[in-house]
Amino acid sequence: MPSILVKNGIIVTMDSHHRILSGHSIIVDDGRFRAIGDTHEIIRDWKADEVIDASGGVVMPGLICSHTHLYGMLLRGAKLDIVPPSDFTQILQRIWWPVDENLTFDDAHASARVGCLEFLKTGTTTFADTYSGPNSIDGVLDRIAKAVDEVGIRGLLAFEATERHSKDEGERGVQENVRFARSTRQERYSKAMPLFSLHASFTVTDELIQSVRSLASELSVPVTIHTSEGLGDLQHNIVRYGKRTVERLRDVGLLAQDVVLAHCVHVNDSELDMVATSGAKVAHNPMSNMLNAVGVAPVPSMLRRAITVGLGNDGYIFDGFENMRAAYLVHRVICRDPNIIDPYAILEMSTIRSAELYGLDKELGSIELGKKADLIVVKPDVLPTPLTSDSVVGHVINSIDGDDVRTVIVEGRIVMKDRRVLTADEEEAQLKGQEAAAGLWERLRAAKPQIEAL
């Protein structure tokens, strides 16, 4: 693999010392960061096969999306002939569950490929995805993994196990995750990693949760579950079990350091204390929460308890910079406090903290010697004020968009250079994605709301 010199940009390392380096350069060799130092010394002491000049730009770790649904790409712009939903449960019943029912294996591959391309082009190099298609289970994670490898970024992949229809459906979802986890142990895929996923506590039994907990421990694979995203989840657990959502997950034995709770919108202080005590972590999805009108997760309260919070998109807007900006703003307005979250903490959520969610922080999430070389070079098209080591975090949060990402390196391989993707055929991927979406939209015209007892 060719060695790479990245020079002249302002380096936002995201390391534990919060170092922001001007006048420094980076040497990438054999897929890892081999040297970080004064530019004159780096050029004097190292020879590189390729040089990337980041003058006037920012060099930072590739963004990490802590929670997404790649197949959500297929619903963009769709005009659905349905009675408009009035709450989140109806959104699931009238939109997402009919979508799930109509997904095919080809849809999974097509949406994954175009989703990975959008991640790549906007600076996200690692993501955690859960797929949900009850009529396309066995082997579907291979189709998604193929797309991940084709594009050349990283993905933690899971099938979202649910017992919404039957216990057998839940077991098949779990077994697909087991099969995929074992196949990745054989190094079948270079960039795809295993993950266990449970849909949400209101669609799974205690027995399924405990089964996944046991298997995840046995296979050393992290677990994620949607948690109190909408009020229906909370109400279901109170009515059925006499417990709040996180309380039930604790009592059934799920909570641990390898568990990622997606959303956590409708949680109280007692539940947050349970999360903090267990070491479980949270994937925050502010733009999706706004889209679905479910509320705002109490992230400031989580941070005060030292709960690790990463930033996700839940399959909505894939541009990580937009998601950072939304997270930065929504808590200011909901708390009516312009100082409620520091902008650097928001940047951490999209890099090193999201790596911590899935136990990847020893290898990813920051620019440090020996870590895998995942980085992006960002050069804003319009920058009316100076870019300095003092202003760079403010620019990342307030000024920069995904379209400003110029170059992307994943484990020492240049996968996009000067906005040109070097791995996959963008035009062909978009065409296949559009064809898959058109077919799905046609099938949805005949779909009925999926209304099951919760």
Side-chain angles (χ1 to χ4, degrees):
M1 185 179 294
S3 58
I4 305 168
L5 165 66
V6 182
K7 65 177 186 178
N8 296 333
I10 295 176
I11 303 171
V12 182
T13 66
M14 303 310 301
D15 68 8
S16 59
H17 301 291
H18 298 183
R19 291 186 304 159
I20 297 174
L21 307 173
S22 296
H24 282 58
S25 294
I26 299 169
I27 289 289
V28 173
D29 193 25
D30 196 26
R32 294 185 180 269
F33 296 115
R34 294 303 180 192
I36 305 168
D38 177 83
T39 294
H40 297 295
E41 295 178 2
I42 291 288
I43 292 175
R44 181 193 67 203
D45 298 338
W46 295 82
K47 299 297 181 185
D49 300 309
E50 185 149 7
V51 177
I52 294 174
D53 189 345
S55 298
V58 183
V59 180
M60 56 187 290
L63 303 183
I64 300 175
C65 176
S66 65
H67 181 77
T68 192
H69 304 283
L70 292 172
Y71 70 89
M73 300 287 293
L74 299 181
L75 214 60
R76 284 194 186 174
K79 187 176 186 304
L80 302 177
D81 184 19
I82 60 173
V83 177
S86 62
D87 63 20
F88 182 60
T89 299
Q90 289 184 341
I91 289 173
L92 292 175
Q93 292 172 334
R94 298 178 187 180
I95 300 175
W96 287 110
W97 287 346
V99 167
D100 294 349
E101 297 284 331
N102 284 278
L103 288 171
T104 68
F105 290 95
D106 288 341
D107 293 340
H109 178 261
S111 60
R113 190 162 54 152
V114 74
C116 286
L117 278 168
E118 183 157 356
F119 270 143
L120 166 59
K121 296 203 74 174
T122 55
T124 291
T125 55
T126 302
F127 63 88
D129 173 67
T130 66
Y131 176 81
S132 180
N135 297 312
S136 51
I137 297 180
D138 303 331
V140 72
L141 295 181
D142 287 341
R143 304 293 293 274
I144 299 172
K146 182 173 183 289
V148 172
D149 275 4
E150 286 169 346
V151 175
I153 63 174
R154 302 181 192 280
L156 292 119
L157 309 181
F159 188 92
E160 197 173 83
T162 176
E163 294 171 300
R164 188 162 54 87
H165 292 123
S166 68
K167 288 186 177 295
D168 177 68
E169 178 187 5
E171 181 59 26
R172 285 181 62 206
V174 171
Q175 288 308 310
E176 172 63 5
N177 290 318
V178 171
R179 182 201 63 79
F180 183 70
R182 288 175 174 157
S183 73
T184 58
R185 292 290 188 270
Q186 301 165 4
E187 299 185 355
R188 187 171 177 180
Y189 303 102
S190 62
K191 294 293 183 290
M193 297 168 280
L195 174 67
F196 276 96
S197 173
L198 292 157
H199 170 251
S201 63
F202 65 92
T203 65
V204 295
T205 60
D206 287 354
E207 291 75 22
L208 190 69
I209 296 173
Q210 290 167 336
S211 172
V212 167
R213 172 67 274 169
S214 177
L215 288 165
S217 298
E218 176 188 336
L219 295 170
S220 299
V221 173
V223 184
T224 189
I225 181 171
H226 295 88
T227 306
S228 285
E229 178 179 2
L231 278 170
D233 193 0
L234 173 60
Q235 292 165 349
H236 167 84
N237 285 296
I238 289 175
V239 171
R240 181 71 61 87
Y241 300 96
K243 301 174 182 180
R244 295 180 67 90
T245 307
V246 175
E247 185 182 10
R248 178 185 166 209
L249 296 180
R250 179 201 62 181
D251 290 352
V252 82
L254 179 66
L255 298 188
Q257 292 184 349
D258 61 350
V259 171
V260 177
L261 307 174
H263 301 290
C264 287
V265 174
H266 300 284
V267 293
N268 64 13
D269 286 345
S270 176
E271 289 177 289
L272 291 180
D273 289 341
M274 295 174 198
V275 174
T277 299
S278 71
K281 302 168 179 66
V282 174
H284 179 37
N285 302 272
M287 296 192 80
S288 169
N289 295 157
M290 287 188 278
L291 175 70
N292 292 320
V294 295
V296 179
V299 170
S301 294
M302 297 176 193
L303 297 181
R304 285 195 292 271
R305 289 170 169 81
I307 295 170
T308 303
V309 179
L311 196 59
N313 66 32
D314 199 36
Y316 182 36
I317 300 299
F318 277 49
D319 185 336
F321 293 96
E322 283 197 49
N323 283 276
M324 280 192 276
R325 195 166 299 125
Y328 180 56
L329 296 175
V330 72
H331 298 289
R332 292 161 71 97
V333 71
I334 198 70
C335 296
R336 298 185 182 183
D337 181 352
N339 301 302
I340 195 66
I341 297 182
D342 183 81
Y344 191 86
I346 298 293
L347 184 52
E348 285 185 313
M349 290 180 198
S350 276
T351 52
I352 190 62
R353 299 297 172 239
S354 281
E356 289 174 5
L357 257 64
Y358 295 100
L360 301 174
D361 50 301
K362 300 300 183 187
E363 294 277 27
L364 303 174
S366 61
I367 297 175
E368 299 183 73
L369 291 179
K371 280 194 171 185
K372 291 182 178 179
D374 290 11
L375 67 79
I376 59 177
V377 177
V378 186
K379 292 186 181 182
D381 287 325
V382 178
L383 198 64
T385 59
L387 178 66
T388 68
S389 57
D390 291 328
S391 70
V392 63
V393 173
H395 277 304
V396 169
I397 299 299
N398 296 295
S399 305
I400 289 172
D401 296 308
D403 289 344
D404 295 323
V405 177
R406 297 289 179 241
T407 296
V408 178
I409 298 173
V410 178
E411 201 164 337
R413 179 190 183 194
I414 301 175
V415 292
M416 184 173 78
K417 186 174 183 181
D418 298 326
R419 297 293 299 167
R420 184 170 70 89
V421 174
L422 305 180
T423 50
D425 185 331
E426 290 185 77
E427 185 175 345
E428 192 264 344
Q430 290 197 39
L431 178 61
K432 292 295 186 184
Q434 291 170 9
E435 290 175 352
L440 176 63
W441 294 2
E442 184 63 32
R443 294 191 296 277
L444 288 174
R445 290 191 177 96
K448 298 287 193 290
Q450 299 295 315
I451 304 173
E452 289 86 10
L454 299 183

